[in-house]
Amino acid sequence: MSVPGRHAANSPAARDIATIVHPYTNLKLHQEEGPLVIRRGEGIYIYDDDGKQYIEGMSGLWCAALGFDNARLVAAATQAMRTLPFYHQFTHKSHMPGVELAEILLDMAPVPMSKVFFANSGSEANDTAIKLIWYYWNAMGKPEKKKIISRQRAYHGVTIASASLTGLPPNHMDFDLPIDRILHTTCPHHYFEAQDGEDEEAFASRCAEDLETLIMEEGPETIGGMFAEPIMGAGGVILPPWGYFPKIQAVLKKYDILLVADEVICGFHRTGNPWGCQTFDIKPDMISAAKALSASYLPISALLISEDIWARMVEASARIGVFGHGYTYSGHPVAAAVAIEAQKIYEETRIGAHVRSVQDHFQERVRQFDDSDLIGEVRGTGLIAGVELVKDKADRARFEKPGVVGTEFRKNAEKHGLIVRNIVDAIALCPPLIIDDNGIDDLADRFEAALEDTAAWVAATEPT
């Protein structure tokens, strides 16, 4: 195929265009614009093919918690590769990195958990949780209790089942998703979804009522589980309204419905606590974790499983003769060793205390932009935030063409050396946990420059 003229023949960008299918990318546009090629990382910064520096304001994909040059994680991977470069956990086999990491996770779990199942991504962990919900209710003699509830604008992955849980239209369109037995309830975003005069607690009560109505319409005897992120990250950094999770959990308990907490983004100190469950008073039956589990230096995920579910798994596998689920790389010893080292670093450097020491400054600097006519809402906690760009601040009116202004902001941010993610017209920020006050100020200054450029662009291009 021909390569656009702006990319020299055989350049990294041209070679990329010729060979790679990019996730979450406009594939047609990519043929014209090509990639931003990243060469190296250092602390909270990354550097492109031309040597330009950027603050990685998204920790890559919500995940590089310890930045991009942690020598201890590199050393842990190197030593593990020399010792046991691969082994599996099938058919009664094990290895010490897997055992030790499971012990760490169970010790730090926000509610009592019994066992850990390892996978390679958040999507796989959530896919496994779906299968275990079905497995559990079969073992309980309730084979009809199989429908699973997620939420509009939720994000739980991109495998066939986890993408069905995901409540975002682009993840469903033309993929023939969602699959059967997956339902979606109200998105708990007070800013856009609340009715006139409805405060956060009243809105949370209505969300719980909507959930109960859905359960009753479908039949409580058919509903097996619900998935929820403490903060809905890829849906736009949506925080639950006050009192939301206690109200939701009361409904689930009333109808004997399992709850899976998707901690893939929030886990490991992002919200100022080890788990988002602790920040928002969530008491789940299973917990999925990934991303910052290894600071994303190697792919690994985990599903924490309660004793009740585990006991039913044992009974079912005894009856069947095997627990027929697993991945070649479940608990890969090198990835597990890196995750162990990441957990040790979090503990030894008191990363949770560090997040709590800088989170107020981070939130204050981001919220200073709330007075911009282009910004309708600034939301966040810990070291995660979302900035909602709107056409009309007074009316909370969205732009006629969703995502155009958000994309312009993202490009302007890159021009000023800041990597952000636009989720339609919400700008997400999720810097590495190691960021300090100076780094936060640098990030905020670059964000402000991008905001000024975007406001000028909107004034010049948007109809009045």
Side-chain angles (χ1 to χ4, degrees):
M1 63 172 292
S2 61
V3 174
R6 58 180 285 193
H7 300 303
N10 208 39
S11 69
R15 291 161 64 188
D16 171 282
I17 291 170
T19 57
I20 296 177
V21 178
H22 281 264
Y24 273 84
T25 300
N26 182 321
L27 301 180
K28 176 64 174 176
L29 186 61
H30 188 76
Q31 299 296 307
E32 303 165 5
E33 295 191 353
L36 176 65
V37 179
I38 305 304
R39 283 287 189 178
R40 66 184 184 91
E42 181 179 339
I44 67 170
Y45 301 97
I46 56 171
Y47 297 82
D48 70 14
D49 212 28
D50 296 322
K52 180 178 177 178
Q53 180 202 75
Y54 304 80
I55 294 178
E56 226 314 343
M58 279 298 298
S59 300
L61 285 173
W62 323 86
C63 54
L66 295 174
F68 294 89
D69 66 341
N70 190 286
R72 285 181 58 177
L73 296 181
V74 174
T78 302
Q79 181 59 43
M81 287 286 283
R82 291 190 178 117
T83 303
L84 186 65
F86 165 73
Y87 213 70
H88 61 85
Q89 296 182 333
F90 282 45
T91 60
H92 310 283
K93 308 299 190 300
S94 193
H95 49 71
M96 284 313 298
V99 172
E100 185 176 348
L101 181 58
E103 291 173 341
I104 290 170
L105 289 172
L106 293 175
D107 284 345
M108 69 179 294
V111 295
M113 289 286 165
S114 179
K115 298 294 182 292
V116 178
F117 175 85
F118 289 113
N120 308 288
S121 67
S123 295
E124 289 182 1
N126 286 328
D127 225 53
T128 297
I130 293 170
K131 291 179 72 175
L132 291 188
I133 290 171
W134 294 339
Y135 202 74
Y136 173 84
W137 288 116
N138 283 334
M140 292 290 288
K142 296 183 179 181
E144 73 285 355
K145 204 169 172 63
K146 298 294 177 56
K147 296 174 186 175
I148 299 174
I149 297 173
S150 181
R151 300 177 294 177
Q152 296 162 4
R153 294 181 67 182
Y155 185 87
H156 296 291
V158 294
T159 57
I160 290 174
S162 66
S164 296
L165 291 175
T166 292
L168 300 170
N171 294 90
H172 295 166
M173 295 169 67
D174 286 10
F175 289 116
D176 291 354
L177 297 176
I179 59 174
D180 292 341
R181 303 194 291 190
I182 304 296
L183 311 170
H184 293 86
T185 190
T186 306
C187 172
H189 189 185
H190 181 265
Y191 181 77
F192 279 131
E193 303 296 334
Q195 298 171 355
D196 290 344
E198 192 174 44
D199 64 18
E200 287 202 13
E201 185 174 10
F203 175 57
S205 295
R206 181 161 63 84
C207 288
E209 291 166 4
D210 289 349
L211 174 62
E212 186 163 22
T213 297
L214 176 62
I215 292 169
M216 294 306 295
E217 289 175 347
E218 295 289 332
E221 72 283 357
T222 72
I223 310 295
M226 180 174 178
F227 280 69
E229 307 153 87
I231 294 175
M232 300 173 73
V237 191
I238 299 168
L239 276 69
W242 192 88
Y244 174 82
F245 275 109
K247 294 174 187 292
I248 290 295
Q249 289 174 110
V251 174
L252 299 179
K253 184 176 181 180
K254 179 178 179 181
Y255 297 107
D256 197 16
I257 296 170
L258 300 174
L259 175 61
V260 181
D262 182 338
E263 288 269 14
V264 171
I265 288 176
C266 294
F268 310 105
H269 307 284
R270 176 58 60 184
T271 66
N273 288 305
W275 301 96
C277 287
Q278 294 162 321
T279 302
F280 298 107
D281 192 22
I282 307 170
K283 297 175 175 60
D285 299 286
M286 290 187 278
I287 299 171
S288 57
K291 295 190 184 292
L293 173 58
S294 66
S296 289
Y297 275 52
L298 282 176
I300 188 168
S301 64
L303 182 68
L304 282 64
I305 302 163
S306 70
E307 176 60 29
D308 182 43
I309 295 174
W310 166 247
R312 304 292 86 74
M313 291 167 63
V314 171
E315 292 173 5
S317 70
R319 172 175 50 83
I320 297 167
V322 66
F323 174 62
H325 178 72
Y327 306 100
T328 300
Y329 302 119
S330 289
H332 190 290
V334 180
V338 172
I340 290 166
E341 191 67 14
Q343 300 308 313
K344 290 179 179 178
I345 293 169
Y346 294 150
E347 182 176 3
E348 293 168 16
T349 62
R350 302 182 70 243
I351 198 73
H354 170 73
V355 171
R356 292 189 293 276
S357 75
V358 300
Q359 64 183 2
D360 288 349
H361 186 55
F362 174 71
Q363 296 295 333
E364 287 167 4
R365 285 304 314 265
V366 176
R367 290 172 197 277
Q368 78 180 51
F369 305 120
D370 196 30
D371 59 0
S372 168
D373 290 339
L374 195 59
I375 294 176
E377 182 187 39
V378 180
R379 49 189 180 263
T381 191
L383 285 178
I384 186 170
V387 179
E388 194 75 45
L389 306 179
V390 294
K391 178 179 176 62
D392 190 309
K393 192 182 186 82
D395 294 336
R396 302 186 179 186
R398 295 180 169 101
F399 295 99
E400 281 79 5
K401 296 182 178 180
V404 173
V405 177
T407 298
E408 180 68 16
F409 186 100
R410 175 181 58 78
K411 292 178 177 179
N412 286 328
E414 290 179 9
K415 181 178 69 176
H416 290 286
L418 173 63
I419 302 293
V420 299
R421 182 174 178 182
N422 71 291
I423 302 166
V424 190
D425 290 314
I427 307 302
L429 289 167
C430 184
L433 301 183
I434 59 172
I435 197 169
D436 59 16
D437 284 345
N438 290 332
I440 290 168
D441 288 334
D442 193 3
L443 182 155
D445 291 345
R446 300 185 194 204
F447 189 99
E448 184 174 22
L451 179 61
E452 291 173 354
D453 287 354
T454 306
W457 180 86
V458 169
T461 59
E462 283 288 313
T464 57

